[in-house]
Amino acid sequence: MAADGTLGPSARVFDAGGVGQRATHITPPGKPPSFFSPGPDPLFTQGAVVVNQKARILATVNPGSNTVSLFHIDAEDPTKLTPFGKPANSGGEFPIAVTINSEGTTVCVLNGGAVNGVNCFSVNPILGLVPKPNTLRFLNVNQTTPPTGPLGSLSTIVFSHDESKLLTLVKGGKDVTPNAFLAAWAFGPDGSLSKNAVKSFTADDGRVPFTLVNIPGSNAYVAGDPTVGFEIFDFGNSTSLSATGISTPIPNQILACWVSYNPISGNFYIIDPVLSTITEVHFDAKLNSTIVKQYVPLANSGTLDNIVSIIGKHSFLHILQPLTSSITTLSVDRPGGALPVQIFNLTSALKDAGLSTYNNLNFQGMATYILK
């Protein structure tokens, strides 16, 4: 990535040491069948690939082999990745998302298949991922391997902003899981997780929250939700494991799911892949929301995973677009003022990197590492 936010021109491809597999799409009522039969979003999640800038590590999931892989990022050339130990058993079936703590010393994974729940690892400088005692916790959601969804599937996994809790989401909408919920475990002084998760259910049946992104200055989190627009889960105080869910509509949305935050503008971006729309949202100190503006960077592109990169004093939003095999970059320094920077063609870049065959509907995950 250049200083102006542009990508390329070349790319590198690395073997994650596992087997790829995608979830089984079942079209939700009232949603366009063309997007689900099958469509993009093979894991029903955000966080399939994550990077820790401080520790220079990248973690990703291997759903078909039930493993998590860790890579070391080269300090001089971030496009050079070196496997960090061997892929570690995820402790369940069909891992879909990972998260890394701020120090880069702990990696936790969310399993979304028939054996579902969370598991955590210590980052060992020689062995890579080493299972942490007393962190394997099961949610026992009625699912299959591979999972069906997006209704009733598991969503994402994150550390709370103060890293006192581990959080994940389960989508509602199925008869067996009509109510979506946020599951929260407390971290003990020894790094173990509390035995049972505290579940905070959405106020309305059938909600389908996808993502968890902290609203800075609060103990609240934004979750894109294609049944309404987005949810806010507010813990109130940092010691609480129970959160209150509040639904907020985005007018005319169809599939609002993925979310990212821009620390320069102070706003959030919520992605709708069916409309290929980005909705910019602002929250005030009382968590009241305002829709600032909407953007369509490339029509019919199936916008999915996205991330904000900060380069110097400038911010850029990168959006994965599997239906057009591309990544769009927008300059987002000013609230309500996103400007196009680049549409990066993945087809030619991946072929030049030696990846001759792939299915663009299996693209998932987005993370950046900024060379200081």
Side-chain angles (χ1 to χ4, degrees):
M1 186 190 307
D4 62 359
T6 55
L7 306 177
S10 61
R12 284 179 174 162
V13 176
F14 298 89
D15 186 348
V19 178
Q21 191 177 31
R22 62 179 290 134
T24 302
H25 284 73
I26 297 177
T27 303
K31 301 299 181 181
S34 60
F35 196 83
F36 291 94
S37 305
D41 183 24
L43 302 179
F44 309 138
T45 189
Q46 179 166 302
V49 178
V50 294
V51 161
N52 181 283
Q53 185 87 22
K54 183 176 182 178
R56 299 205 315 272
I57 56 175
L58 177 150
T60 189
V61 295
N62 297 311
S65 52
N66 303 331
T67 59
V68 182
S69 294
L70 189 69
F71 292 87
H72 182 267
I73 300 171
D74 187 275
E76 301 299 326
D77 182 355
T79 66
K80 291 182 180 179
L81 303 179
T82 303
F84 207 161
K86 295 180 179 180
N89 189 295
S90 67
E93 295 180 358
F94 205 86
I96 58 173
V98 285
T99 187
I100 307 175
N101 71 339
S102 60
E103 294 298 311
T105 56
T106 301
V107 174
C108 295
V109 60
L110 174 65
N111 289 296
V115 182
N116 52 74
V118 301
N119 195 18
C120 297
F121 306 85
S122 296
V123 177
N124 183 286
I126 298 175
L127 301 176
L129 295 174
V130 177
K132 287 178 70 71
N134 297 316
T135 62
L136 179 60
R137 299 290 184 259
F138 299 107
L139 282 167
N140 299 316
V141 176
N142 188 357
Q143 260 296 349
T144 57
T145 300
T148 59
L151 301 185
S153 65
L154 287 82
S155 288
T156 191
I157 183 171
V158 297
F159 289 96
S160 62
H161 69 95
D162 62 358
E163 300 188 348
S164 66
K165 297 182 281 287
L166 187 66
L167 311 175
T168 191
L169 286 169
V170 176
K171 307 178 189 73
K174 275 188 176 182
D175 291 338
V176 292
T177 51
N179 276 49
F181 63 87
L182 182 153
W185 293 266
F187 274 104
D190 60 353
S192 65
L193 291 177
S194 52
K195 185 176 180 180
N196 297 309
V198 174
K199 298 178 180 179
S200 299
F201 290 87
T202 54
D204 304 311
D205 287 356
R207 294 298 184 217
V208 187
F210 250 75
T211 56
L212 284 171
V213 180
N214 176 243
I215 300 175
S218 75
N219 293 305
Y221 297 79
V222 181
D225 188 329
T227 65
V228 60
F230 59 92
E231 306 272 345
I232 301 173
F233 290 98
D234 185 10
F235 284 94
N237 62 73
S238 61
T239 60
S240 175
L241 289 175
S242 179
T244 300
I246 304 169
S247 300
T248 303
I250 294 177
N252 303 316
Q253 68 85 33
I254 295 179
L255 215 65
C257 296
W258 289 265
V259 180
S260 59
Y261 171 69
N262 182 357
I264 288 183
S265 71
N267 290 346
F268 290 77
Y269 307 99
I270 301 176
I271 305 297
D272 184 331
V274 173
L275 297 176
S276 296
T277 299
I278 303 166
T279 299
E280 185 175 354
V281 178
H282 177 76
F283 294 93
D284 65 18
K286 295 183 178 180
L287 303 181
N288 297 311
S289 62
T290 302
I291 294 178
V292 178
K293 195 172 181 178
Q294 290 186 314
Y295 312 91
V296 183
L298 185 61
N300 303 313
S301 61
T303 48
L304 290 189
D305 298 85
N306 62 102
I307 195 165
V308 172
S309 298
I310 306 299
I311 304 177
K313 297 181 179 180
H314 299 287
S315 55
F316 301 94
L317 176 66
H318 311 285
I319 312 108
L320 179 64
Q321 298 166 139
L323 295 184
T324 53
S325 299
S326 61
I327 297 173
T328 282
T329 298
L330 303 175
S331 172
V332 287
D333 287 344
R334 294 186 300 106
L339 298 173
V341 171
Q342 180 194 34
I343 298 176
F344 181 67
N345 187 315
L346 284 167
T347 301
S348 56
L350 293 177
K351 287 184 177 179
D352 290 345
L355 190 64
S356 57
T357 59
Y358 59 88
N359 184 344
N360 62 324
L361 297 184
N362 291 337
F363 288 164
Q364 187 89 81
M366 175 80 73
T368 58
Y369 176 92
I370 308 301
L371 187 63
K372 301 297 183 181

